[in-house]
Amino acid sequence: MKKNAKRFIVIILIAAVIVSSSLVFSGGVGVDAATATGVGLSEHCLNAYYEGWSYIYGAMSYGAVDCSGLIMLYNGVGGIRTDMMAASPETGSIGSLPRIHGLGLYQPGHVGVYVGSGMAVDARDEYSGVCYDSVYSKSWTNWFKVAGVSYPDTGFVSFNGSMFYYEDGQYVVDTTRTVDGVTYSFGSSGAAVSAYDSNGNSVDIGSSAGNS
């Protein structure tokens, strides 16, 4: 009887370890790997910047990462830590950078993340830590879709307090779109700046987009 009870406890503990190993910390919160998104990766990287995470070569823990560790700490995405582009399902030259939150950025020996609106985050070096700069402030040579991350095709996403609308895999800029009877205007950053219903009445962007 006691042996069976001990065996049952061991099985429960093993199951708990398996479940917990499928979770990783993103901004201090365990997240199932199946939920990895480009917006989520971008928010994870911005959180690291705002919290002033340190750069430590080879590190991949909350508060201390290197360039690839910053990406992989989000739900274990990235595929091959030493060569994330090799694991990527789609890559391109930096001159063709699409408007997609959470794309990986590459230059020889270094990776970062495009967080949209012309900005990027990377865990740079021991002196700089995690940086948030214009994507053009570094000599990135390529972009790549991060292995394990899902990217939107069409529809609204909420990022960093703003709403963006994706169409054919990229968020739109400097234009208007009418969705479910509400007309939205999008600025040069891609963020929605206004929304009006069919009667010309101003509506809350977040609530109207959330119901689309």
Side-chain angles (χ1 to χ4, degrees):
M1 192 77 170
K2 289 183 178 179
K3 286 184 179 179
N4 289 335
K6 287 182 179 179
R7 188 174 301 166
F8 178 74
I9 291 171
V10 169
I11 291 171
I12 293 298
L13 290 173
I14 291 173
V17 169
I18 291 172
V19 170
S20 63
S21 66
S22 69
L23 302 178
V24 294
F25 280 96
S26 173
V29 180
V31 182
D32 190 310
T35 65
T37 64
V39 166
L41 175 57
S42 297
E43 290 175 336
H44 160 77
C45 291
L46 275 180
N47 178 70
Y49 167 72
Y50 290 133
E51 292 191 351
W53 288 15
S54 301
Y55 175 98
I56 298 177
Y57 180 77
M60 191 177 70
S61 61
Y62 188 84
V65 290
D66 63 7
C67 64
S68 60
L70 173 63
I71 295 174
M72 294 200 79
L73 188 61
Y74 174 68
N75 295 10
V77 301
I80 304 171
R81 184 168 182 178
T82 56
D83 191 357
M84 289 186 171
M85 278 226 303
S88 170
E90 187 177 349
T91 67
S93 65
I94 199 64
S96 65
L97 178 66
R99 296 187 303 272
I100 303 174
H101 296 93
L103 288 177
L105 299 172
Y106 169 83
Q107 67 181 76
H110 191 57
V111 289
V113 173
Y114 181 61
V115 296
S117 304
M119 302 298 290
V121 175
D122 67 298
R124 193 161 300 177
D125 53 43
E126 289 85 352
Y127 176 78
S128 306
V130 176
C131 298
Y132 174 57
D133 285 321
S134 165
V135 71
Y136 305 108
S137 68
K138 284 188 66 63
S139 301
W140 303 113
T141 60
N142 297 86
W143 61 267
F144 61 95
K145 288 189 173 180
V146 179
V149 172
S150 64
Y151 297 94
D153 179 49
T154 300
F156 283 98
V157 302
S158 174
F159 172 65
N160 202 27
S162 297
M163 298 301 299
F164 295 77
Y165 186 72
Y166 274 77
E167 194 172 77
D168 297 325
Q170 297 189 65
Y171 60 82
V172 299
V173 296
D174 293 323
T175 190
T176 61
R177 290 291 186 274
T178 300
V179 181
D180 292 343
V182 178
T183 299
Y184 301 86
S185 294
F186 301 90
S188 58
S189 70
V193 294
S194 65
Y196 293 89
D197 63 20
S198 57
N199 295 318
N201 299 312
S202 178
V203 297
D204 180 74
I205 294 172
S207 62
S208 59
N211 293 326
S212 296

